[in-house]
Amino acid sequence: MKRLLIVSLFFIFASIDIFAQSKPDSNAVFNYYVACATGDVKNARNFLIQYPDCVDIELSLDNFFGDNDKQKSSEFAYQRFANYLISKGIAYGFKDKESEEEFIKKYKRYPILMASQYGHSDVVKLLISYHSNLELKDEHENTALIRASQNGHLDIIKELVNNGANIEDHQGEILSMAAYNGHKEVVEYFLKKGVNVDSKDLIGRTALMYASITNQLDIVKQLVKNGADVNAVGDSNVTSLMFASQQGNKTIAEFLIKNKANVNAKGYKGLSSLIIAASNGHSEIVSLLLKNKADVNAKSDEGVTALITASANGYLNIVKELLKNKADVNIKTNDGYTAMHDAIAEGKTEVVKLLMEYEADLLGDFMVIYTDIATALIKQHSDIACMILKDDRYRRMFFNSSIVPTFTVDGVEMTLLIYASREGFVDFTRLLIENNVNINEQNSNGHTALMFAAANNNVEIVRLLLYAGADANIKDNNGLKAMHYAAGKAQETGDTRVFNLLYTHTNTND
């Protein structure tokens, strides 16, 4: 009797110990997920036979290692989990280590999502037979049905739906993901299942918008045929035509316009499809929109027009097309800038030339013109600065003024002549000299154009200035002459040409 009692107690405690193993260790979890992600039904089944209650065990950094793996350090756990995600092509392309760590720490998946995402229908059926929860969500709120829709696995979609997967609450996501990735049969399936063709995903976009972004013409036609609203607005009031215009998808844009898309609708910050196409350099879309009566002078909330943004970006062909269609060349933004101002500021020489041919005006007083010229020089576009000063409208205003403004570059006070001499802008320097600027003007430190040209070994500028009568004997606030700066440069470079030029023009006894 006593022996029987001992044996009974042994089996009781043995049973308790067996049941205590209900949570798998990290190796078992790892192998289970590999099986689900690769379609290894045999190993997935073996895991579930041993751990039937773990069918939905979460794949995340926190849960990747079981309680029986305490001998492993947290650093080891992180690295092994990271290696798994990287090997599956899940974690890649991060800009820095911090971004990678943030992704890995937030990452969360479930077996049913993995099998559905990678298209393993036999594994999905196995998991369903173990009563997997079909509504589990990853860190992006995606369910197994959404993942299957995203990847076009129609057989899995049907399996999930037939086993109760929720379509109603995820209409926007499943239809949009299928449309975005070009899965026409999946789109057709959901439409036949009664999914609302204009349903929106979590950020407020429809399937038609996504198909317009990724240039899925057949799906766009399919959706419109099923009643999709071509003028529906998504997040930030953006329409499908705006998305097509942004991406340069001409055939999509043509189809949407043919089906009465509003070419003059305004979305985010008041941007129209024309402004969006122009800012992204899509000349064919611009022509298409203008042909269909898009407002060439439509303004955004900030007063930007298609011409202004195309000019700033240097899209010459688009600027030509807009001007041909009577774009207002002198229209201003809310801040008072025109297409000409922006083209100058961005150094778009050919655009500036074209705008001037269309009589673009800088629309400002002397200081506005001066600022534009200085901006062009600072951005190393002396050709634009010359172009402005050769225009009679600005030349007369500029050279008839008694004002000699200055600007600061790298903490140094500059005039136009001083800066041009320092940078070696020969043509611009010559233009200033020809129009009788004060060749010996000094900044607050007493520096002249000749001193800057000498300090930078600009031989041709030095010759120009000396020939025009620049005084080589002027001293700066430290008592130095241009020759002294030339001497320092000659010692540094071994090139004595500027020093020799100045030596013959300098009173060395002073």
Side-chain angles (χ1 to χ4, degrees), residues 168-397:
E168 181 66 26
D169 293 342
H170 307 298
Q171 293 187 64
E173 287 72 30
I174 56 179
L175 195 61
S176 293
M177 286 296 96
Y180 181 85
N181 290 288
H183 303 309
K184 187 177 179 181
E185 291 183 355
V186 175
V187 171
E188 186 67 29
Y189 171 80
F190 283 130
L191 291 175
K192 287 180 178 178
K193 280 288 184 180
V195 169
N196 182 351
V197 71
D198 288 322
S199 55
K200 296 179 179 180
D201 67 3
L202 293 175
I203 64 173
R205 296 181 184 179
T206 66
L208 183 61
M209 293 172 191
Y210 282 109
S212 298
I213 291 171
T214 56
N215 205 23
Q216 307 291 346
L217 181 60
D218 287 344
I219 291 178
V220 167
K221 290 179 177 179
Q222 180 186 28
L223 293 167
V224 171
K225 181 181 177 181
N226 280 272
D229 181 0
V230 295
N231 290 310
V233 295
D235 55 316
S236 303
N237 291 321
V238 180
T239 66
S240 296
L241 180 58
M242 292 174 193
F243 281 120
S245 299
Q246 180 184 44
Q247 299 299 319
N249 296 332
K250 184 185 176 185
T251 54
I252 301 291
E254 284 177 325
F255 182 81
L256 293 171
I257 292 171
K258 183 179 178 181
N259 284 273
K260 302 182 178 179
N262 183 355
V263 297
N264 287 312
K266 291 189 175 184
Y268 177 68
K269 291 188 176 180
L271 297 171
S272 67
S273 294
L274 182 63
I275 297 173
I276 292 169
S279 67
N280 285 281
H282 300 310
S283 57
E284 289 187 343
I285 303 287
V286 169
S287 298
L288 173 67
L289 292 166
L290 291 171
K291 181 180 177 182
N292 284 277
K293 301 182 179 179
D295 182 357
V296 71
N297 291 314
K299 282 186 166 190
S300 71
D301 293 346
E302 297 175 346
V304 174
T305 65
L307 181 63
I308 290 172
T309 188
S311 298
N313 285 289
Y315 298 136
L316 187 62
N317 289 337
I318 293 177
V319 172
K320 287 179 180 178
E321 185 70 15
L322 293 167
L323 291 171
K324 187 174 75 174
N325 282 272
K326 304 188 184 308
D328 186 344
V329 74
N330 289 318
I331 201 166
K332 294 181 181 180
T333 65
N334 297 353
D335 294 329
Y337 293 102
T338 64
M340 181 80 152
H341 288 300
D342 281 2
I344 290 170
E346 297 301 325
K348 308 303 180 184
T349 305
E350 293 304 313
V351 173
V352 172
K353 189 183 298 182
L354 179 61
L355 292 172
M356 292 180 78
E357 288 174 8
Y358 276 80
E359 299 186 351
D361 198 327
L362 288 175
L363 297 176
D365 57 15
F366 170 83
M367 283 308 300
V368 171
I369 297 169
Y370 182 92
T371 300
D372 283 325
I373 294 171
T375 299
L377 290 178
I378 290 169
K379 297 200 172 186
Q380 303 297 298
H381 296 293
S382 61
D383 53 345
I384 292 178
C386 288
M387 204 182 306
I388 296 170
L389 280 187
K390 286 178 180 178
D391 187 303
D392 284 342
R393 293 171 296 173
Y394 310 125
R395 183 176 58 80
R396 285 192 297 269
M397 181 188 294

Side-chain angles (χ1 to χ4, degrees), residues 7-60:
V7 171
S8 299
L9 287 172
F10 171 80
F11 279 111
I12 290 171
F13 286 119
S15 298
I16 291 172
D17 186 61
I18 290 171
F19 288 121
Q21 299 296 318
S22 59
K23 188 170 182 180
D25 63 18
S26 62
N27 285 325
V29 174
F30 180 84
N31 292 331
Y32 176 46
Y33 265 95
V34 170
C36 291
T38 60
D40 185 347
V41 180
K42 179 180 177 181
N43 280 323
R45 182 180 288 112
N46 289 340
F47 176 88
L48 291 173
I49 290 171
Q50 189 171 359
Y51 307 107
D53 293 336
C54 292
V55 61
D56 289 328
I57 191 167
E58 181 182 290
L59 176 62
S60 66

